[in-house]
Amino acid sequence: MSTDTSSHHGGSVRFIYDVGPRIRIQCLHKATRPLTPVRGVEFFQGTLDSTDEIESARVFDTTLRDGEQSPGTSFSYDDKREIAAVLDEMGTHVIEAGFPVNSEAEFEAVRDIASSTSTTTCGLARVVDDDIEAALDSGVEMVHTFVSTSDVQIEDSMHATREDVVQRAVDSVERITEAGATCMFSPMDATRTDEAFLIDVIEAVSEAGTDWINIPDTCGVATPNRFRVMIEKVCAHTDARVDVHTHDDFGLATANALSGIEAGADQAQVSVNSIGERAGNAAYEEFVMAVESVYQCDTGIDTTRIMELSEIVEEKSSIETPGNKPVVGDNAFSHESGIHAAGVIENSDTFEPGVMTPEMVGATRRLVMGKHTGTHSVRERLEERGYVPTDDEVRTVTRRVKDYGAEKRRITVEDLERFAKEAGVERQREEVQI
Ligand code: MN
């Protein structure tokens, strides 16, 4: 009888489900392994055998700034401290803590995060003196200053001219760099900006000494290929490091962020659970795991705390995480259909990505029984757990499972055991414990 706890590819497995009479694995301790596990790429054949598109990718988290701009979300001082602490401990490269000029409370929260975290903290500022002074006074290492560059925003949001925009951008970059802070400049609404003007702005702020240029797809209209071309062009016109900020209006935020990295950007702005303005930003968890698992590129981030981080942000933001959300949704590592569940019991790589396991993100794999479960499957599940049910008992338990599933309730192993006990099913033998 095997009590092997290794999967076919060397990663540890942690089922909450009993995986059959041969093996019973129950809540193993966290396996000792490198900070960012990389599973062998030789696992793949075909489309995924190339992994040299990117060399590195840095993560700029804007959960506390753009994320907080989600309609209905307001983080308290303590919420911000707690989220920032986890982001910091995980190794996030930059934390955008807020907009210091906004209010005294915001200023204090940003100042507190800047002094209590070891990573780079960033504060947002318009190209306005008061904003920039507030950001500098808050003690952040990086000031992120932004101005609209699209004609629609220059005219109908700022009520200014292109000339004003360039002048204020240059003045702001100069003030920030003179003060000794790292400067990030954003031409807001870059993806709807006249290209020649955008390049003029980029060249002007580069000459003024900005350290970073962030290209925001403020209204979410980019596509992966168009964004790639755009970022390549931006990189060709500046010596500053390039960062991208993408929005999910068409569900393309993470794809666009990755496209930006492929095109030469060093860093992407993301938010946990993809919260943010309108449909939100590129998701922290999607971006990090795609870089780690699909691109096989080490971010240095402790991915095993992703679920914990996601749950904290879910609670504090009051934005419920949908079950089908990539990486962090309840269904992300759940299996119900017979073929999938059977495959996963044998080897989780059959119907999961293989390069991303629940253990890597601190989640748990679940095998779910539901409305469509049949007597065959129920008998199998019961026998796997050492029960010897009669035909009548199998029918009784199956009826309970179906009723439960029809009420849109999730049936856990514990539920199944309870149904079996209530139906008086006999158990044949003791389980093998590890
Ligand atoms: Mn935004």
Side-chain angles (χ1 to χ4, degrees):
M1 189 166 295
S2 169
T3 52
D4 183 12
T5 59
S6 301
S7 84
H8 299 252
H9 298 281
S12 80
V13 284
R14 183 176 44 162
F15 287 97
I16 60 160
Y17 187 74
D18 176 58
V19 295
R22 286 170 296 110
I23 309 170
R24 180 182 161 80
I25 300 165
Q26 197 177 34
C27 289
L28 296 181
H29 298 296
K30 256 185 191 159
T32 313
R33 49 163 196 68
L35 201 60
T36 47
V38 174
R39 304 192 88 197
V41 74
E42 71 276 9
F43 172 67
F44 286 125
Q45 294 165 334
T47 54
L48 289 175
D49 64 0
S50 166
T51 57
D52 56 359
E53 299 100 330
I54 64 176
E55 280 166 19
S56 66
R58 288 166 52 96
V59 178
F60 176 114
D61 182 85
T62 188
T63 307
L64 301 178
R65 201 280 297 167
D66 202 321
E68 200 193 19
Q69 289 170 222
S70 300
T73 294
S74 170
F75 293 130
S76 71
Y77 186 91
D78 288 339
D79 294 343
K80 285 201 163 201
R81 276 291 300 265
E82 187 178 346
I83 294 166
V86 178
L87 286 167
D88 184 33
E89 287 161 18
M90 289 172 69
T92 309
H93 303 93
V94 183
I95 299 173
E96 189 167 45
F99 198 177
V101 82
N102 204 31
S103 68
E104 213 162 298
E106 181 85 350
F107 178 87
E108 290 301 330
V110 173
R111 185 163 71 171
D112 212 42
I113 291 167
S115 66
S116 63
T117 54
S118 57
T119 191
T120 302
T121 306
C122 177
L124 188 70
R126 291 169 295 183
V127 286
V128 171
D129 291 343
D130 285 353
D131 286 35
I132 291 168
E133 296 312 317
L136 291 169
D137 289 346
S138 73
V140 292
E141 294 90 356
M142 178 188 281
V143 177
H144 176 195
T145 188
F146 70 98
V147 64
S148 296
T149 52
S150 66
D151 289 332
V152 64
Q153 290 193 356
I154 292 173
E155 285 161 24
D156 293 337
S157 172
M158 289 186 65
H159 308 290
T161 64
R162 286 185 175 188
E163 291 69 32
D164 293 336
V165 163
V166 177
Q167 192 56 53
R168 287 159 71 175
V170 166
D171 290 348
S172 301
V173 168
E174 283 175 350
R175 172 66 191 123
I176 294 162
T177 52
E178 275 163 20
T182 300
C183 181
M184 173 177 279
F185 173 79
S186 285
M188 184 156 73
D189 206 12
T191 47
R192 299 191 306 174
T193 296
D194 172 67
E195 192 182 297
F197 179 59
L198 180 67
I199 298 300
D200 285 348
V201 172
I202 284 165
E203 288 179 342
V205 295
S206 300
E207 203 168 317
T210 193
D211 301 284
W212 287 88
I213 289 175
N214 168 52
I215 298 298
D217 181 27
T218 305
C219 295
V221 297
T223 66
N225 196 50
R226 293 176 207 170
F227 202 54
R228 177 202 323 275
V229 171
M230 183 172 192
I231 298 303
E232 281 169 355
K233 215 165 278 176
V234 168
C235 290
H237 286 271
T238 183
D239 292 329
R241 299 181 81 178
V242 175
D243 172 284
V244 293
H245 176 104
T246 54
H247 273 278
D248 215 21
D249 296 73
F250 293 95
L252 295 171
T254 304
N256 287 333
L258 291 164
S259 181
I261 300 290
E262 285 187 18
D266 287 317
Q267 182 170 280
Q269 301 195 354
V270 295
S271 67
V272 179
N273 300 343
S274 71
I275 64 171
E277 295 272 9
R278 307 183 310 282
N281 292 84
Y284 182 107
E285 60 278 5
E286 292 175 15
F287 181 78
V288 170
M289 292 316 296
V291 169
E292 293 268 341
S293 291
V294 185
Y295 289 84
Q296 299 272 314
C297 177
D298 190 2
T299 59
I301 287 175
D302 177 5
T303 64
T304 63
R305 294 186 69 183
I306 282 179
M307 274 307 296
E308 174 195 352
L309 176 67
S310 169
E311 283 165 4
I312 293 169
V313 171
E314 178 181 27
E315 186 201 329
K316 308 299 185 191
S317 67
S318 311
I319 298 175
E320 207 181 319
T321 302
N324 65 342
K325 191 135 182 83
V327 186
V328 296
D330 278 348
N331 293 345
F333 298 97
S334 292
H335 308 274
E336 180 171 327
S337 100
I339 291 170
H340 284 231
V344 164
I345 287 169
E346 181 134 351
N347 174 358
S348 62
D349 290 347
T350 51
F351 291 101
E352 283 180 10
V355 284
M356 176 170 72
T357 64
E359 295 77 24
M360 287 168 73
V361 299
T364 310
R365 177 174 298 114
R366 277 185 279 241
L367 299 176
V368 182
M369 302 197 89
K371 177 183 172 183
H372 305 292
T373 304
T375 50
H376 176 76
S377 170
V378 167
R379 172 178 289 282
E380 214 170 70
R381 296 286 174 90
L382 289 172
E383 287 176 355
E384 280 169 7
R385 303 192 65 74
Y387 289 99
V388 264
T390 63
D391 288 353
D392 265 359
E393 287 165 350
V394 168
R395 274 194 292 274
T396 304
V397 173
T398 305
R399 208 156 40 235
R400 294 292 308 274
V401 168
K402 282 173 171 293
D403 289 349
Y404 227 61
E407 287 168 30
K408 303 187 195 300
R409 293 162 82 176
R410 168 168 252 161
I411 298 140
T412 63
V413 172
E414 289 71 28
D415 292 325
L416 187 68
E417 294 226 341
R418 194 175 73 248
F419 298 157
K421 201 173 281 176
E422 285 168 9
V425 185
E426 249 181 77
R427 207 161 203 175
Q428 191 183 42
R429 55 173 175 75
E430 289 302 303
E431 294 156 55
V432 180
Q433 298 286 347
I434 292 173

